[in-house]
Amino acid sequence: MDPTVSTPISESSNITDLVVTNRNGVKGLSEMGLKTLPKQYIQPVEERITVSNILPQESIPIIDMSNWDEPKVSESICDAAEKWGFFQIINHGVPIEVLENVKDATHRFFNLPAEEKRKFSKENSPSNSVRFGTSFSPEAEKALEWKDYLSMFYVSEDEASALWPSACKDQVLEYMKGSEPVIQRLLEALMKRINVKEIDETKKSLLMGSKRINLNYYPICPNPELTVGIGRHSDVSTLTILLQDDIGGLYVRGNNDSWVHVPPISSSLVINVGDALQIMSNGRYKSIEHRVVANGSKNRISVPIFVNPRPDDMIGPFPEVLVGGEKALYKQILYSNYVRHFYKKAHDGKKTIEFAKI
Ligand SMILES: COc1cc(/C=C/C(=O)SCCNC(=O)CCNC(=O)[C@H](O)C(C)(C)COP(=O)(O)OP(=O)(O)OC[C@H]2O[C@@H](n3cnc4c(N)ncnc43)[C@H](O)[C@@H]2OP(=O)(O)O)ccc1O
Ligand SMILES: O=C(O)CCC(=O)C(=O)O
Ligand SMILES: [Fe+2]
């Protein structure tokens, strides 16, 4: 073999080592200027989105929260959570500056040298609650996903100040704080519709007892049509509050095999129901499958806040929804077992919830 001709990076068997094991992330790979997608990222045909299964005329609801105490706003929220499981909110009260700052902070973190980000990988992180990683569950996946992430489980302000990356911690904490009233309002509205009149301490824990925030980074991809940014999944949260930038690429499951794009709207937040709320509402509110495509010309970021039960909560359908004799569709399960089950496998659409079905 001619020693001056090196093996194209896209054919290197060391791609997984480079990206996953050595924690360079897929951003490191993207920046090597590769011309073709490495085989490790090629998804089976059925997992790729094509124009034929996109519904361009459909859209998830957009809800104006400026008069959030008006009954029609609550109605729109509940209708959207029942029908779509996804909606966008505008005029929600989280200051635009807070949103812009957290997007800047996300770029700042991912633009750090690999050795700085590696300090937060599973092996090196100063805390189990902060993790820098790539794809979703690389050990369990047949094909990798074209995404890096930083995931932070909120324990306390002190822990966050001490252990979260300084490139982003202040802005992330501000965003979490700023979104608190929105989360409360959404949950109050959703609870009223299902006969839960008061969010007492027990319900508060079940609905919003813990939070995880992820910073997602989807770098430019040489063959975006052959891979995914995130594969089909539903979130395991109660609610997810998602901030996306202006690039687009999030798709929500419509009817049958179709997908509906969630277009970026400046200063809006995307809200979706997660599996925990589907379970607690006994299926009334739907956690809908969604996915993210890769992009051939732009680096995309998104910042989801996962609002969850506490890990040690037992979750199941609320008694209030079963009061009229409705049959429980889900059993009582320990929330941390549910999440462990989710992380143990590759993204697989709506399959996680089968773990909780009676
Ligand atoms: C990354 O791409 C994603 C991520 C998501 C995420 C959505 C959500 O996170 S929604 C809310 C999740 N809920 C919670 O986080 C509840 C609180 N958490 C816990 O109770 C614990 O983290 C635990 C789930 C019980 C696990 O803790 P522990 O038993 O101490 O074990 P660990 O060693 O920390 O982890 C076990 C196993 O889980 C995987 N894992 C843990 N944390 C993460 C993370 N932040 N991101 C990805 N995977 C994680 C990991 O595989 C661990 O296995 P190892 O082989 O590494 O040991 C949605 C969509 C996406 O694309
Ligand atoms: O990037 C997005 O738009 C969605 C991200 C997502 O679905 C997730 O992190 O669970
Ligand atoms: Fe998601």
Side-chain angles (χ1 to χ4, degrees):
M1 187 179 153
D2 181 351
T4 61
V5 180
S6 59
T7 314
I9 182 95
S10 56
E11 285 167 25
S12 165
S13 59
N14 288 329
I15 292 279
T16 312
D17 281 350
L18 177 88
V19 175
V20 181
T21 320
N22 298 330
R23 310 287 181 197
N24 287 292
V26 70
K27 181 170 185 284
L29 183 62
S30 167
E31 287 170 356
M32 291 170 97
L34 72 174
K35 298 278 181 290
T36 54
L37 186 75
K39 63 179 187 308
Q40 290 84 345
Y41 286 90
I42 299 180
Q43 293 283 335
V45 176
E46 61 278 13
E47 293 302 333
R48 304 179 204 155
I49 267 196
T50 55
V51 275
S52 64
N53 52 21
I54 292 172
L55 290 176
Q57 70 285 10
E58 286 274 19
S59 114
I60 62 168
I62 298 165
I63 300 174
D64 186 339
M65 297 270 288
S66 18
N67 299 316
W68 61 269
D69 46 356
E70 282 182 9
K72 70 172 196 289
V73 176
S74 293
E75 258 166 53
S76 314
I77 290 167
C78 297
D79 290 349
E82 284 183 358
K83 179 169 182 242
W84 282 96
F86 257 90
F87 49 99
Q88 303 214 54
I89 54 172
I90 54 172
N91 300 318
H92 41 64
V94 186
I96 294 175
E97 195 185 77
V98 169
L99 303 180
E100 291 305 315
N101 288 348
V102 82
K103 285 192 271 179
D104 290 348
T106 302
H107 281 287
R108 194 156 53 239
F109 174 77
F110 286 101
N111 284 337
L112 290 172
E115 59 271 25
E116 286 301 313
K117 289 183 282 190
R118 223 175 269 139
K119 288 182 182 162
F120 300 94
S121 68
K122 191 183 180 215
E123 321 72 70
N124 303 324
S125 180
S127 159
N128 213 12
S129 48
V130 187
R131 179 180 297 202
F132 165 64
T134 192
S135 194
F136 173 62
S137 191
E139 291 73 23
E141 286 161 347
K142 292 206 182 86
L144 295 172
E145 300 183 345
W146 195 262
K147 176 202 71 169
D148 294 333
Y149 68 90
L150 176 72
S151 181
M152 290 163 282
F153 182 67
Y154 180 85
V155 176
S156 68
E157 180 112 15
D158 284 352
E159 203 228 43
S161 296
L163 301 178
W164 290 9
S166 53
C168 60
K169 67 180 173 196
D170 293 343
Q171 297 75 20
V172 168
L173 283 169
E174 279 296 301
Y175 173 43
M176 289 184 90
K177 232 180 274 164
S179 61
E180 198 64 21
V182 183
I183 294 167
Q184 300 249 12
R185 276 169 211 160
L186 292 170
L187 286 172
E188 271 163 27
L190 291 165
M191 288 304 104
K192 267 204 193 114
R193 161 111 20 136
I194 59 168
N195 203 26
V196 175
K197 301 202 169 66
E198 191 208 347
I199 302 184
D200 60 14
E201 283 307 308
T202 310
K203 287 276 181 346
K204 199 169 169 192
S205 172
L206 291 166
L207 292 167
M208 50 186 303
S210 80
K211 291 203 187 87
R212 180 181 287 284
I213 186 158
N214 283 5
L215 311 185
N216 293 324
Y217 192 93
Y218 308 90
I220 295 169
C221 179
N223 298 107
E225 66 293 346
L226 300 180
T227 190
V228 296
I230 298 190
R232 294 177 302 110
H233 71 287
S234 61
D235 293 346
V236 292
S237 53
T238 305
L239 280 184
T240 304
I241 319 298
L242 179 96
L243 172 65
Q244 61 168 333
D245 65 13
D246 59 359
I247 289 162
L250 170 62
Y251 287 83
V252 172
R253 171 78 86 179
N255 293 330
N256 306 319
D257 201 19
S258 67
W259 294 88
V260 175
H261 189 231
V262 180
I265 299 175
S266 173
S267 309
S268 76
L269 291 167
V270 180
I271 309 295
N272 65 280
V273 172
D275 293 352
L277 184 55
Q278 176 164 331
I279 292 168
M280 292 187 283
S281 68
N282 203 34
R284 185 89 179 256
Y285 299 128
K286 312 273 187 319
S287 78
I288 299 295
E289 247 179 292
H290 52 287
R291 66 201 309 189
V292 178
V293 296
N295 191 301
S297 57
K298 288 180 173 150
N299 299 308
R300 175 175 184 266
I301 56 152
S302 70
V303 187
I305 299 177
F306 300 105
V307 181
N308 311 309
R310 292 166 70 94
D312 57 358
D313 277 331
M314 292 294 294
I315 65 163
F318 284 151
E320 290 87 340
V321 275
L322 302 179
V323 82
E326 192 174 309
K327 209 167 145 250
L329 301 174
Y330 305 99
K331 54 193 171 198
Q332 295 285 329
I333 43 159
L334 183 68
Y335 184 61
S336 60
N337 282 346
Y338 190 78
V339 180
R340 233 178 243 124
H341 174 70
F342 169 67
Y343 284 143
K344 230 174 19 209
K345 52 191 182 46
H347 280 320
D348 55 1
K350 283 282 294 176
K351 286 215 184 112
T352 319
I353 208 155
E354 283 167 20
F355 184 80
K357 277 192 183 142
I358 286 179

